[in-house]
């Protein structure tokens, strides 16, 4: 059984002066190492839920547990240093260089200069920013995408077990946003930290999330895998929310690693291979190119099963 990184127990938040809860009776568990997106329209409570995790907002009722510990019982500054936090446009300190921004938490933790510099170099390489080119530059001289990369590097500085991301790519052009989404997936696959990622973009939520929390009016409407939410929406709200795109959009966010059939030795030997990290739109392109009836899905060289063209046709009709 997977270890639970964050657990919400009947969590509520009511802001002063309101006669309603902005977050209402949320109970769910976030597994260690998972990438969970929080999806909802404006005012759904998704950002409020996120901000309660690092105690920017204190909850009104209920409990939030961090690896089994009640977060209200932890020293707030020590606790926050264990959690990375990324917002739109990085939230960088404008008067500090890139190097200084990334070094903020290590310096608070009193790391020595050599260790801090080594970590800064490592992180800048990780987010694809050349150390010598960018280390002395200030945020105002960076593009939106570069600022976000610095923000992600800063959040990762102390190797946090949990990363909180509040619509980090919302103010960035579509091309840069796509590149950063892919970088974020690659980073999480490599580092295996736990990510809670707020977005109002359905495509982004399905592309990034191993699981998705769908929120409306402060309540969780559904918490499940992208596959199950797409095929089995819990209610009318979820159904309407996820059917805003066309058929091809659906294929772009559903993994090939679903509904696989067992493959025979002959099928494995003769079949066209596709990696389990690919999506159904990639599978469609292969089916057309190779004129085949099935694909063999593999992960790290190991066969997981076969994906049939009939299943893909079914998905395109639904």
């Amino acid at each position: 059984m997977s270890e639970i990184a964050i657990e919400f127990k009947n969590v509520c938040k009511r802001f002063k002066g309101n006669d309603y809860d902005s977050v209402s009776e949320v109970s769910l568990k976030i597994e260690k190492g998972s990438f969970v997106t929080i999806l909802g329209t404006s005012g759904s409570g998704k950002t409020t839920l996120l901000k309660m995790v690092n105690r920017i907002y204190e909850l009104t009722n209920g409990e939030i547990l961090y690896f089994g510990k009640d977060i209200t019982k932890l020293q707030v500054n020590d606790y926050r240093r264990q959690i990375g936090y990324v917002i739109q446009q990085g939230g960088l300190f404008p008067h500090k260089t890139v190097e200084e921004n990334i070094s903020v938490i290590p310096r608070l933790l009193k790391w020595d200069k050599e260790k801090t510099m080594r970590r800064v170099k490592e992180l800048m390489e990780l987010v694809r920013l050349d150390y010598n080119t960018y280390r002395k530059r200030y945020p105002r001289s960076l593009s939106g995408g570069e600022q976000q990369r610095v923000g992600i590097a800063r959040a990762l500085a102390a190797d946090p077990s949990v990363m909180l991301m509040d619509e980090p790519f919302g103010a960035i052009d579509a091309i840069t946003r796509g590149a950063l989404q892919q970088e974020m997936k690659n980073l999480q696959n490599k580092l295996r930290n736990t990510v809670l990622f707020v977005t109002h973009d359905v495509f982004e939520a399905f592309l990034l999330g191993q699981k998705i929390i769908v929120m409306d009016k402060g309540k969780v409407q559904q918490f499940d895998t992208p596959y199950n939410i797409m095929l089995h929406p819990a209610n009318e709200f979820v159904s309407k929310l996820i059917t805003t795109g066309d058929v091809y959009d659906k294929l772009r966010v559903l993994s090939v690693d679903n509904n696989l059939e067992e493959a025979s030795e002959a099928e494995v030997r003769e079949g066209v291979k596709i990696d389990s990290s690919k999506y159904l739109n990639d599978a469609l392109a292969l089916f057309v190119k190779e004129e085949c009836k099935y694909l063999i899905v593999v992960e790290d060289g190991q066969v997981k099963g076969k994906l049939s063209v009939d299943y893909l046709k079914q998905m395109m009709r639904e």
Side-chain angles (χ1 to χ4, degrees):
M1 186 175 178
S2 299
E3 186 177 5
I4 303 303
I6 300 290
E7 181 174 0
F8 299 88
K9 290 186 170 184
N10 299 314
V11 169
C12 299
K13 178 61 182 178
R14 179 172 295 192
F15 290 100
K16 188 175 181 180
N18 289 347
D19 59 358
Y20 62 90
D21 290 336
S22 295
V23 168
S24 180
E25 298 180 357
V26 170
S27 294
L28 48 84
K29 297 177 180 180
I30 309 297
E31 293 181 355
K32 179 183 178 182
S34 61
F35 196 127
V36 177
T37 51
I38 308 175
L39 174 65
T41 55
S42 179
S44 62
K46 57 188 185 298
T47 291
T48 299
L49 185 69
L50 190 81
K51 288 184 174 181
M52 284 192 285
V53 175
N54 66 349
R55 297 182 62 183
I56 291 177
Y57 296 151
E58 297 289 2
L59 47 79
T60 305
N61 288 305
E63 286 183 299
I64 298 176
L65 305 182
Y66 172 77
F67 290 97
K69 298 177 181 178
D70 184 341
I71 65 171
T72 63
K73 303 293 195 298
L74 303 175
Q75 204 287 324
V76 66
N77 288 330
D78 290 342
Y79 168 61
R80 284 177 178 161
R81 288 167 190 166
Q82 300 175 61
I83 294 178
Y85 186 48
V86 185
I87 60 176
Q88 276 194 28
Q89 297 178 327
L92 304 178
F93 298 112
H95 60 287
K96 292 181 181 291
T97 65
V98 166
E99 187 174 38
E100 289 168 340
N101 265 284
I102 298 172
S103 302
V104 167
I105 297 300
R107 286 176 177 171
L108 287 172
L109 294 174
K110 302 189 185 308
W111 290 13
D112 62 53
K113 288 184 179 180
E114 185 178 343
K115 181 181 178 181
T116 300
M117 183 180 294
R118 190 166 59 246
R119 183 61 172 161
V120 171
K121 286 182 178 178
E122 176 187 346
L123 288 167
M124 290 184 69
E125 179 180 348
L126 199 64
V127 299
R128 300 182 187 276
L129 290 174
D130 180 73
Y131 177 74
N132 292 322
T133 302
Y134 287 95
R135 69 187 185 94
K136 293 300 182 183
R137 290 175 62 175
Y138 289 87
R140 63 180 176 271
S141 70
L142 304 177
S143 68
E146 289 166 347
Q147 288 183 34
Q148 282 307 127
R149 291 173 189 272
V150 176
I152 292 168
R154 185 178 65 182
L156 289 168
D159 194 21
S161 54
V162 174
M163 285 272 286
L164 307 179
M165 308 188 78
D166 190 4
E167 303 215 42
F169 309 145
I172 295 174
D173 65 89
I175 294 175
T176 305
R177 183 172 185 158
L180 286 172
Q181 287 167 345
Q182 191 56 54
E183 286 297 326
M184 197 61 232
K185 280 177 68 75
N186 294 340
L187 281 174
Q188 202 270 340
N189 287 337
K190 184 182 295 184
L191 301 175
R192 293 295 177 187
N193 45 8
T194 307
V195 179
L196 278 175
F197 186 108
V198 165
T199 181
H200 66 273
D201 185 292
V202 174
F203 175 73
E204 184 168 71
F206 277 75
L207 178 70
L208 295 176
Q210 295 167 341
K211 278 192 169 183
I212 301 171
I213 301 168
V214 182
M215 294 192 70
D216 183 47
K217 298 177 181 177
K219 291 182 176 289
V220 173
Q221 303 298 311
Q222 192 165 358
F223 178 42
D224 212 330
T225 63
Y227 180 82
N228 286 335
I229 289 174
M230 186 73 76
L231 267 64
H232 309 291
N235 53 40
E236 186 178 356
F237 172 81
V238 178
S239 181
K240 286 182 178 179
L241 187 68
I242 65 173
T243 54
T244 54
D246 60 18
V247 171
Y248 193 70
D249 283 337
K250 181 187 289 190
L251 298 184
R252 290 172 67 201
V253 297
L254 288 179
S255 170
V256 298
D257 192 19
N258 281 299
N259 209 44
L260 299 180
E261 302 171 35
E262 187 173 347
S264 68
E265 289 185 10
E267 287 173 329
V268 171
R269 186 171 57 252
E270 299 169 8
V272 177
K273 307 296 193 297
I274 187 169
D275 193 85
S276 64
S277 64
K278 299 295 185 180
Y279 295 89
L280 290 183
N281 65 306
D282 302 306
L284 176 61
L286 264 182
F287 278 125
V288 172
K289 178 184 176 184
E290 302 292 340
E291 298 182 351
C292 53
K293 299 295 185 183
Y294 65 89
L295 297 172
I296 299 298
V297 178
V298 297
E299 181 177 5
D300 296 329
Q302 301 298 310
V303 174
K304 300 197 72 177
K306 71 175 181 180
L307 177 72
S308 72
V309 72
D310 290 335
Y311 169 70
L312 188 65
K313 289 176 181 176
Q314 175 191 337
M315 289 302 305
M316 294 175 72
R317 286 195 296 267
E318 291 183 355

